[in-house]
Amino acid sequence: MGFLYARKVIYMNAALILLTLSVALLIGLALTRLAKLAGLPAVTAYLVTGIVLGPFCLGRLGFEGLGFTSLEQVEGFSVLCDLALGFIAFAIGNEFRLEQLKKIGRQATSIGIFQAVFTTVLVDIVLIAVHFAMPEVLSLPAAVILGAVAAATAPAATLMVVKQYKAKGKLTDILLPVVALDDAVGLVLFAISFGVAKTLGSGDINVLSIVLEPIIEVVLSLLLGALMGWIFTQAEKFFHSRSKRLAISVGFVMLTVAISSLKFNIGPVHVSFSSLLSCMMLGTVFCNICDFSEELMERTDSWTTPFYVLFFVLSGASLDFSVFGQWAVVAVGVIFILVRSAGKCAGARISAQATKCDKTIVKYLGITLLPQAGVAIGMATKALQLGETGIIVQSITLFAVLVYEIFGPYLTKIALTKAGDIRPEGRTSARDAAKASVSQ
């Protein structure tokens, strides 16, 4: 009887999980119709869906399966978010084709590094000044870490806007490589800042933690992605049908995400991987050495759309609205948002002008770098290891992410439209296209 009861409980839990995900997916898609009428990107609709179904709105009513009743329940779906980020990074890797990098590689690299470092330095300066003005509100270690968090962008939101509106042009060509490099640089800056913050908090200077660990993480992540990309390409040669090639593509992205989640210690050095960088390199190697990679990338993108929808719905549900109850967090959060936005826009403009980019890139690139989500939240979560400092960092980051994720995609759409990369006449519904082909 006990065994049968346990099986019944498992089936009930599975049913609730499927019900919760199906409701999230369908409502998210339904709200895109309203978003379209308002001229907003679909990403915004998915995030709003998450907020509505989240623990601070409908989820508070406690109806299992019809909303997320707690932040812990949302965190239980983290494997879906990890997988979606893996596919997003894999798709961004497709933007690093050698023939394209020969044209914009130097510019993208210079802009990606400069604007990230510039933003970090600017936010650090301002927040350190805030610390000295209000030491009881913001500690010095928290100010240092928030500077590095400011460097990170949200490749997922940017990629979804580009795909939804089929954006093409000079700004789009340089945007995705810059976003990819931006997060790589951000990871290094965060690791260094995190080590400095620990030193300020304890007085114990750990050179290995500050210098070696971020370098090791980036290098090992890129090596893992390159190795998996080569194996992936060799494995593809044994399959000829499109469906099987799609299946093995999905399998390798999942495998890379799984391996990159491993963490271990070698003596005093903590070794870990970035699934974002690993999957990005997986896509880069694959697209450069496989003859039919472009076709397969398109098929993979169409298959992963439901994962992307659920990723953004879950991102919206994970936003903690309790931070609004702390005036200090809101005040510092507003300063953080304004200074980070200024840093991104100014850093992108300065570096784009220095590398002689097209005037549309100089003018609009900074705006497209404002969205912020998963990578920044991951940094803030790691900062929790610092106790009270980490709690402040996480609260301010969550407040900023809430603002950026709601308004960032819309601003990205506006910038791409102003730059001429989004053309209204280029959008055709699948239903209309099907009718046209039948009539012919």
Side-chain angles (χ1 to χ4, degrees), residues 97 233 237 286-296:
R97 293 180 179 271
T233 306
K237 296 177 182 178
F286 175 67
C287 77
N288 280 290
I289 63 178
C290 181
D291 296 335
F292 51 87
S293 62
E294 195 159 356
E295 175 195 349
L296 194 51

Side-chain angles (χ1 to χ4, degrees), residues 151-170:
T153 55
T158 303
L159 182 66
M160 286 291 284
V161 172
V162 168
K163 287 186 177 297
Q164 179 188 353
Y165 294 99
K166 298 180 175 62
K168 291 183 180 179
K170 294 179 179 179

